[in-house]
C-alpha cells in the first residue's frame, strides 16, 4: 500500500514542479505595465492570451500542490503507522 502511494506522490510532485517552471517562464515574459501605440495593438491580444494561460496554469498548480501535500501526509502517516505496528 505504501509503495503505490509513494509513486503517486512522486508523480504528482513532478507534475507540480513542471507546472511551477512553466508558470515561471510565462511570468518572465509578462510586464506589469505596457504602453502601446496603435501599431502595437496586436500585442494587447497576445498579452491577454498569456494572462488567460497563466490563470489556468495557476489553478492547476494550486490543485497539484494540494494533492501533493495530502499524498505526502498520507504516505508519512502510513510509514509511521507501519513503524509503530510492524506486520
Amino acid at each position: 500500500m505504501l509503495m503505490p502511494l509513494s509513486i503517486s506522490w512522486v508523480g504528482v510532485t513532478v507534475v507540480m514542479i513542471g507546472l511551477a517552471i512553466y508558470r515561471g517562464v510565462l511570468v518572465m515574459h509578462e510586464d506589469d505595465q505596457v504602453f502601446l501605440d496603435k501599431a502595437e495593438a496586436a500585442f494587447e491580444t497576445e498579452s491577454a492570451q498569456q494572462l488567460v494561460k497563466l490563470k489556468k496554469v495557476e489553478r492547476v498548480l494550486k490543485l497539484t500542490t494540494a494533492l501533493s501535500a495530502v499524498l505526502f501526509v498520507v504516505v508519512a502517516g502510513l510509514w509511521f503507522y507501519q513503524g509503530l505496528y510492524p506486520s
Side-chain angles (χ1 to χ4, degrees):
M1 179 76 170
L2 189 60
M3 187 60 79
L5 282 174
S6 298
I7 292 170
S8 298
W9 174 72
V10 168
V12 169
T13 303
V14 166
V15 169
M16 180 189 68
I17 291 169
L19 285 171
I21 291 170
Y22 181 64
R23 181 189 175 277
V25 169
L26 286 177
V27 171
M28 186 177 8
H29 298 294
E30 200 61 33
D31 294 326
D32 290 340
Q33 200 171 29
V34 179
F35 299 99
L36 302 173
D37 60 3
K38 292 181 183 182
E40 298 171 325
F43 182 72
E44 183 179 1
T45 58
E46 181 182 324
S47 182
Q49 289 171 350
Q50 286 288 97
L51 190 59
V52 169
K53 267 190 212 177
L54 183 63
K55 292 207 183 269
K56 286 181 184 178
V57 168
E58 284 181 345
R59 195 173 330 133
V60 176
L61 183 60
K62 286 179 184 177
L63 178 69
T64 55
T65 301
L67 185 58
S68 176
V70 168
L71 281 172
F72 177 76
V73 168
V74 169
V75 167
L78 280 174
W79 178 75
F80 187 70
Y81 180 80
Q82 287 180 352
L84 286 177
Y85 305 106
S87 299

